[in-house]
Amino acid sequence: MQPIVIGLALAIALVGSLGGCASPGTQLNNEAKLGLYRAYAGEPAGSFRYFGRLNGWTPLGDEALAVWTRPSEAYLLELFGSCQDLDFAPAIRISNQASTVYAGFDSVTPAGAGAIGMRNIPCRIKTIRPLQVKALKEAQRELREASAVEREQQGG
């Protein structure tokens, strides 16, 4: 339980240091969300197993995203440069080699008719870092609760 508390303190300090990027009652901006995910990411891994279906994904700006391969297994993918339309794409495609996604070789491609200016340009994966899913979800829950308390105190 102590690593969660330390990680949460780090995440709260990071969010606070971003100078009001998230006001009470609003969601964290992409920079703050990416900082939170980085706080709960492990050391870089060269690859992860991928069987053609994701359990979910979250864009974290235009240079990173989190992908869930199972409800309890997720990875932070940081990309080489900006990935056009990542924030607006309703779906993504991930290239893979024999059901394995490799950093430095495979790509994420924003996909779907709803994406703004969709050009289906692949974005190469720079790093893959496994996420501590339970700790990340706990930190997100605690940040939501802290935001609710702050809203309540300001609203009277």
Side-chain angles (χ1 to χ4, degrees):
M1 193 66 105
Q2 189 174 9
I4 291 173
V5 173
I6 293 170
L8 179 60
L10 172 66
I12 290 171
L14 173 69
V15 171
S17 72
L18 293 174
C21 293
S23 60
T26 63
Q27 291 189 346
L28 300 175
N29 71 10
N30 285 330
E31 188 177 349
K33 280 197 301 188
L34 178 56
L36 181 63
Y37 278 73
R38 281 178 175 157
Y40 291 97
E43 292 298 313
S47 64
F48 69 91
R49 300 290 290 163
Y50 172 65
F51 298 102
R53 293 188 73 141
L54 292 177
N55 192 264
W57 68 284
T58 302
L60 301 167
D62 60 1
E63 295 184 5
L65 69 154
V67 295
W68 277 259
T69 53
R70 296 190 307 228
S72 62
E73 183 178 270
Y75 299 90
L76 173 62
L77 307 181
E78 296 202 47
L79 309 170
F80 285 103
S82 178
C83 188
Q84 192 168 13
D85 297 325
L86 185 60
D87 276 340
F88 306 104
I92 58 170
R93 289 189 299 266
I94 300 178
S95 67
N96 63 90
Q97 311 305 311
S99 300
T100 302
V101 176
Y102 294 95
F105 184 75
D106 284 304
S107 300
V108 173
T109 305
I116 296 172
M118 185 52 61
R119 293 179 190 91
N120 295 325
I121 298 171
C123 307
R124 183 150 317 157
I125 299 168
K126 183 165 123 180
T127 60
I128 298 170
R129 296 171 61 194
L131 289 168
Q132 301 167 28
V133 175
K134 283 184 180 181
L136 175 63
K137 287 182 179 181
E138 178 66 16
Q140 290 171 324
R141 183 187 64 75
E142 289 183 18
L143 284 171
R144 281 191 306 273
E145 288 175 1
S147 178
V149 167
E150 190 173 334
R151 271 194 322 270
E152 193 174 286
Q153 289 173 350
Q154 287 183 348

Short mmCIF file of all heavy atoms in Angstrom, two decimals, residues 2 4 7 9 14 22 46 56 58 66-67 71 82 85 89 96 101 112 115 120 132 147:
data_model
loop_
_atom_site.label_atom_id
_atom_site.label_comp_id
_atom_site.label_asym_id
_atom_site.label_seq_id
_atom_site.Cartn_x
_atom_site.Cartn_y
_atom_site.Cartn_z
N GLN A 2 2.05 1.19 0.58
CA GLN A 2 2.92 2.35 0.64
C GLN A 2 3.32 2.85 -0.75
O GLN A 2 3.31 4.06 -0.98
CB GLN A 2 4.15 2.05 1.47
CG GLN A 2 4.97 3.31 1.74
CD GLN A 2 6.09 3.01 2.69
OE1 GLN A 2 6.36 1.87 3.02
NE2 GLN A 2 6.77 4.04 3.14
N ILE A 4 1.61 2.94 -3.44
CA ILE A 4 0.48 3.68 -3.98
C ILE A 4 0.45 5.08 -3.39
O ILE A 4 0.26 6.06 -4.09
CB ILE A 4 -0.85 2.94 -3.72
CG1 ILE A 4 -0.91 1.67 -4.54
CG2 ILE A 4 -2.04 3.83 -4.05
CD1 ILE A 4 -2.09 0.79 -4.24
N GLY A 7 3.31 7.04 -4.89
CA GLY A 7 2.98 7.35 -6.28
C GLY A 7 1.91 8.40 -6.37
O GLY A 7 1.97 9.29 -7.22
N ALA A 9 1.22 10.73 -4.14
CA ALA A 9 1.81 12.00 -3.74
C ALA A 9 2.61 12.59 -4.90
O ALA A 9 2.52 13.79 -5.18
CB ALA A 9 2.70 11.82 -2.52
N LEU A 14 2.88 16.49 -9.22
CA LEU A 14 3.06 16.76 -10.64
C LEU A 14 1.89 17.56 -11.18
O LEU A 14 2.08 18.56 -11.85
CB LEU A 14 3.19 15.44 -11.42
CG LEU A 14 3.21 15.60 -12.94
CD1 LEU A 14 4.51 16.27 -13.37
CD2 LEU A 14 3.05 14.27 -13.62
N ALA A 22 -5.60 21.64 -14.35
CA ALA A 22 -6.90 21.00 -14.11
C ALA A 22 -7.57 21.74 -12.97
O ALA A 22 -7.10 21.73 -11.86
CB ALA A 22 -6.70 19.53 -13.74
N GLY A 46 10.75 -4.03 -24.48
CA GLY A 46 10.96 -4.04 -25.92
C GLY A 46 9.72 -4.38 -26.71
O GLY A 46 9.61 -4.04 -27.89
N GLY A 56 -9.20 -1.64 -24.45
CA GLY A 56 -9.44 -0.20 -24.39
C GLY A 56 -8.16 0.55 -24.70
O GLY A 56 -7.08 -0.03 -24.75
N THR A 58 -6.50 4.91 -24.37
CA THR A 58 -6.68 6.29 -23.94
C THR A 58 -5.61 7.16 -24.58
O THR A 58 -4.41 6.93 -24.34
CB THR A 58 -6.54 6.40 -22.40
OG1 THR A 58 -7.49 5.55 -21.79
CG2 THR A 58 -6.74 7.83 -21.93
N ALA A 66 -2.24 5.08 -23.84
CA ALA A 66 -2.24 3.86 -23.04
C ALA A 66 -3.15 2.87 -23.75
O ALA A 66 -4.20 3.24 -24.26
CB ALA A 66 -2.75 4.13 -21.63
N VAL A 67 -2.71 1.62 -23.81
CA VAL A 67 -3.53 0.57 -24.40
C VAL A 67 -3.71 -0.55 -23.39
O VAL A 67 -2.78 -0.90 -22.67
CB VAL A 67 -2.92 0.01 -25.72
CG1 VAL A 67 -2.89 1.07 -26.80
CG2 VAL A 67 -1.54 -0.58 -25.50
N PRO A 71 -8.21 -6.31 -19.00
CA PRO A 71 -8.60 -5.33 -17.97
C PRO A 71 -7.50 -5.06 -16.94
O PRO A 71 -7.41 -3.95 -16.42
CB PRO A 71 -9.82 -5.98 -17.31
CG PRO A 71 -10.40 -6.85 -18.37
CD PRO A 71 -9.21 -7.37 -19.15
N SER A 82 4.76 13.83 -33.05
CA SER A 82 3.32 14.03 -32.98
C SER A 82 2.58 13.03 -33.86
O SER A 82 2.99 12.77 -34.99
CB SER A 82 3.01 15.46 -33.44
OG SER A 82 1.63 15.69 -33.42
N ASP A 85 -4.21 13.47 -35.32
CA ASP A 85 -5.57 12.97 -35.12
C ASP A 85 -5.73 11.94 -34.00
O ASP A 85 -6.83 11.43 -33.81
CB ASP A 85 -6.17 12.40 -36.42
CG ASP A 85 -6.30 13.44 -37.50
OD1 ASP A 85 -6.59 14.61 -37.16
OD2 ASP A 85 -6.11 13.11 -38.68
N ALA A 89 -9.47 10.41 -32.92
CA ALA A 89 -9.82 9.14 -33.57
C ALA A 89 -10.71 8.29 -32.68
O ALA A 89 -10.42 8.12 -31.50
CB ALA A 89 -8.54 8.38 -33.92
N ASN A 96 1.72 -5.28 -35.80
CA ASN A 96 2.37 -6.28 -34.95
C ASN A 96 3.03 -7.32 -35.83
O ASN A 96 2.71 -7.47 -37.00
CB ASN A 96 1.37 -6.90 -33.97
CG ASN A 96 0.28 -7.67 -34.66
OD1 ASN A 96 0.41 -8.86 -34.91
ND2 ASN A 96 -0.82 -6.99 -34.99
N VAL A 101 3.98 -6.70 -30.46
CA VAL A 101 4.21 -5.31 -30.85
C VAL A 101 5.60 -4.92 -30.33
O VAL A 101 5.88 -5.11 -29.15
CB VAL A 101 3.13 -4.38 -30.25
CG1 VAL A 101 3.43 -2.92 -30.57
CG2 VAL A 101 1.75 -4.78 -30.76
N GLY A 112 -10.82 5.53 -38.39
CA GLY A 112 -12.23 5.77 -38.20
C GLY A 112 -12.72 7.00 -38.91
O GLY A 112 -12.01 7.99 -39.02
N ALA A 115 -12.64 10.76 -37.27
CA ALA A 115 -11.44 11.52 -36.94
C ALA A 115 -11.31 12.73 -37.85
O ALA A 115 -11.60 12.67 -39.03
CB ALA A 115 -10.20 10.62 -37.05
N ASN A 120 -4.90 8.50 -41.91
CA ASN A 120 -4.40 7.16 -41.62
C ASN A 120 -2.88 7.08 -41.70
O ASN A 120 -2.32 6.20 -42.33
CB ASN A 120 -5.05 6.11 -42.52
CG ASN A 120 -6.52 5.99 -42.25
OD1 ASN A 120 -6.96 6.12 -41.11
ND2 ASN A 120 -7.31 5.75 -43.27
N GLN A 132 1.26 -0.09 -14.00
CA GLN A 132 0.79 -0.70 -12.76
C GLN A 132 -0.70 -0.35 -12.67
O GLN A 132 -1.08 0.68 -12.11
CB GLN A 132 1.55 -0.14 -11.57
CG GLN A 132 3.05 -0.36 -11.63
CD GLN A 132 3.77 0.48 -10.60
OE1 GLN A 132 3.23 0.82 -9.55
NE2 GLN A 132 5.00 0.84 -10.89
N SER A 147 -10.85 16.00 -5.92
CA SER A 147 -11.49 17.04 -6.72
C SER A 147 -12.91 17.29 -6.26
O SER A 147 -13.36 18.43 -6.16
CB SER A 147 -11.47 16.65 -8.20
OG SER A 147 -12.12 17.61 -8.97
#
